[in-house]
Amino acid sequence: MNRATWLRPTLIATTVAALGAVAAAGVASPLRPLLTVWFLLFCPGLALAPLVRLGDGWNQLAVAIPLSIALDILVASAFMYAGAWSAPLIVAVLAAISLLGAALQARGWSVSR
Amino acid sequence: VRNELIGWLDDDEQLLCLARAEFRAHDTEPPLQRDRRNGREPGVLALTERRVLFKGEAGSRMAQARRDVPLAWVDHRPDGRQDLLFGTGAGIVTVPRVPPELAAAADGRAPAAAAKAPPLPFALPSKETMLSVAIAAIAAALWVSALTRVDLEQVGDLGLVQALPLEAFLALALVCGGFAWAISRPHVATPLLALYVVVLVFMLHGATSLFEQVPSFNVAWRHAGVAAYISETGGVDPSINAYFNWPGFFAFAALATETAGLDSAIGLARWAPLVLNLLYLPALLLLVRAVSDDRRLPWAAAWIFYLANWVHQDYLSPQGLILVLYLGFVAIALRWLGGPPVATRQRAALICVCFLLLLAAVPSHQLTPLAMVAAATALVLVRASTARLLPAIALVLAAGWLVFAAGPYLSGHIHDLSEDVGQVSSTVKSSVGARVTGSDEHVLVAYLRIASAAAMWGLAAAGALKLLRTRRRRWRAHAVLALAPFTLLLLQAYGGEILLRIYLFSLPFVAGLAAALVLGPDSRPGPRTAVLVAAVSVLLATSFLFTRYGNEQVNLFTRAEVRLTERVQRSVPPGSVLAAPSSTLPWQSHGVGHLRFRPLDRELTDRGRRPLADAVAGIMQHREAPAGYLLITTNTREWERMFGPASWGTIAELERAVRRSPRFRLIQANRDGDVYTLSPGSRGRP
């Protein structure tokens, strides 16, 4: 496994773990908003966009960031309209999407295979 | 040709091999770039550890990341030797006689010489690079030092520029000069250009966070209030206002607030402009990379975008966040659904991504999905995108939401919405003429905004003409994308803001065309480029200080003002009426849905012959409201001073009237505001 293959999945998994730990402990730290913003704006997209093999990092970010925001909005809106609003649950769904994408990346899977 | 090709390499880029090659353009490319022999153009190909570069004898240029360039071995020669083909955005580069080192490098095997050389632990940057980095760092430090010393008392009707210390102007000059130097050097150092763009974004769009006492701009507080409603109730009430009919962004803001452990989404507002502008960057780069192989142009276009993005929609707002989806959507359509063919499954995945972006944009903002429809249609019309169903999908989703989800709300406001349809003349008038009002200084700022927008569109038009003359057909997409948002003029005046929004939607493409004009379609390094880039940058940066920060006088709040407003919102009984001379105070951040907010400039348009106190009391009375409160803050006075009094009179008259009236009582006051309550005994009176 080369550096490019494990770096992103590791980063995503670490973010999910850190966010989970901070939220569970109820820690009020300046790091928590930073971690949240990083997770919501980058992680779901960074987990999925590289599976499409789009080229260099800028190309991947150009797809990953909007994709992250879109997934956040869609999952949050779905819970809201279903009358089941729960921020921890929404984050759990987004974390599951992120971890699934990260696992596929780690296994070297892509849409063209 | 060979030497020029080597000159394109970055300082730290390792050349693996050079080979004679031939370029054959796709049919859509102009014939100018083709040689007479079978449409093939001879030239030289260079392969480095990260890029494929080609320079043709007739002028074709290509430089792309290796993983962006698919390669294929083709076996059709009688002697059994294979040709090596590289697929690029513009055409195909063929290497007829493949040298062994190219074969090895193309197959991913390191050349023998490189394998033997011990790898360096790190490469020292050149002196020029270190100097460039130092200039950027000094500019940023000067800017922080200047902005943290801004005396807010000095901010006047021209805005922030009146309060800026001299170092701030020096910092801007340094960053503009440094970028001009970095982009005009013979070797393109991408990390350096990225550093300058990030520093510029920090300076121009992160400025308020360095000097504001509390998050600025009343609308950001209102948006925080909608997010708070979702957090508190877990749902939306579409009857409250339009925000609740397009709640996608607010659900996102509520999620971010709760997950971050913040009390209110306003905690996210301070850094929102900086973060949002940085989020735009990758898509801005991709938009230019989709139509040009030049390595300088994407950074120049992003640079111009940030210098000209003064429209202030990048605060904690749906339009600020959903612009990321708009840029991503157009960039994907342009780069992968209209450029060189991509694998079927890859294309299907990218169409799915576009669908998801549309699906998220539609319930989040009224206007942006329509801009996405216009952009997708324009791309299909000029054959810059082959995803012909995408405009139809976008239109169906946007119309579906309007009819089924927001329909009940819209049916109650159908007159307001339908009266603008097709009224281009009155829409333009409300977007331009009606905005040139206020004090003399503010009128000057308004004129500067109009001049700045006109100058940008002028630069883009000149750039488009230049590109057309040199037959750069791939750039036609930028020309139509810069024009496509103007179709929105047919639909809505959008509260007199439509031209601002059109400017924002067209700016990424306008900036691309302007960059191609300033640097040339194939950017040429050298002192001429440096001078031109520096001059345009300094001009735009100076204009930006007036156009973006010209309203700071009424956008900034004090801590005392926020304390007073928060205390009232949190302490009054549910159902109470809160009135204020205008909306320019940090209110509606709590109590949305159970407090009644009444800005008098909108609610009290005609008081007839009634005394002012009675007319205001009438607005503050509601049969189900347990109490009524009137807030008069410093900011509402500043707003009146800048834009003139409302139709019912001045705030000074209002204050005199309520102090004299037995129906009002002053219950709270601090140095930046007063709160009056309508006496319970007077509430039954008409």
Side-chain angles (χ1 to χ4, degrees), chain A residues 32 52-53 55-56 85 111, chain B residues 68 247 258-259 289 345-346:
Chain A
R32 188 167 163 189
V52 193
R53 297 282 154 98
D56 69 4
W85 178 266
V111 291
Chain B
D68 277 357
E258 286 185 51
T259 312
R289 293 169 93 185
R345 291 173 71 176
Q346 204 179 10

Side-chain angles (χ1 to χ4, degrees), chain A residues 42 58 61 65, chain B residues 132-133 135-137 139-141 143-144 172 175-176 178-179 182 189-207 209-210 271 273-282 284-285 298-307:
Chain A
F42 289 89
W58 288 109
L61 278 177
I65 296 171
Chain B
S132 281
V133 171
I135 291 172
W143 183 260
V144 172
L172 271 183
V175 80
C176 291
F179 178 78
T190 305
L192 195 59
L193 298 180
L195 172 73
Y196 268 96
V197 170
V198 170
V199 168
L200 181 82
V201 173
F202 168 71
M203 288 169 65
L204 294 187
H205 298 280
S209 46
L210 295 173
W271 294 100
L274 176 64
V275 171
L276 285 174
N277 276 287
L278 289 175
L279 294 180
Y280 303 152
L281 182 58
L284 287 174
L285 298 175
W299 295 99
W303 180 262
I304 292 175
F305 173 88
Y306 290 124
L307 284 168

Side-chain angles (χ1 to χ4, degrees), chain B residues 11-161:
Chain B
D11 299 344
D12 59 339
E13 194 168 11
Q14 189 193 0
L15 177 68
L16 298 178
C17 59
L18 286 163
R20 297 285 307 168
E22 288 178 338
F23 171 67
R24 188 187 176 97
H26 292 313
D27 287 343
T28 52
E29 287 302 302
L32 181 79
Q33 295 185 2
R34 299 186 194 170
D35 192 56
R36 290 197 182 112
R37 288 171 300 156
N38 304 323
R40 289 174 186 272
E41 177 186 348
V44 178
L45 177 125
L47 195 70
T48 73
E49 83 278 18
R50 55 176 184 255
R51 285 194 296 160
V52 180
L53 306 100
F54 174 80
K55 173 79 177 75
E57 289 172 5
S60 294
R61 296 151 58 99
M62 185 275 290
Q64 277 178 242
R66 277 181 66 168
R67 37 175 123 156
D68 277 357
V69 183
L71 64 83
W73 290 97
V74 177
D75 185 4
H76 62 77
R77 290 183 180 274
D79 59 4
R81 290 179 62 178
Q82 291 179 313
D83 287 355
L84 187 56
L85 268 57
F86 293 88
T88 77
I92 292 171
V93 178
T94 307
V95 183
R97 280 178 290 279
V98 185
E101 70 271 21
L102 175 60
D107 283 343
R109 283 175 278 137
K116 282 176 193 165
L120 285 171
F122 60 90
L124 274 177
S126 67
K127 279 180 189 166
E128 287 90 346
T129 304
M130 288 200 285
L131 187 58
S132 281
V133 171
I135 291 172
I138 291 168
L142 273 177
W143 183 260
V144 172
S145 152
L147 270 281
T148 46
R149 287 190 293 110
V150 161
D151 177 7
L152 295 180
E153 297 293 321
Q154 301 289 318
V155 177
D157 287 6
L158 281 176
L160 176 66
V161 75

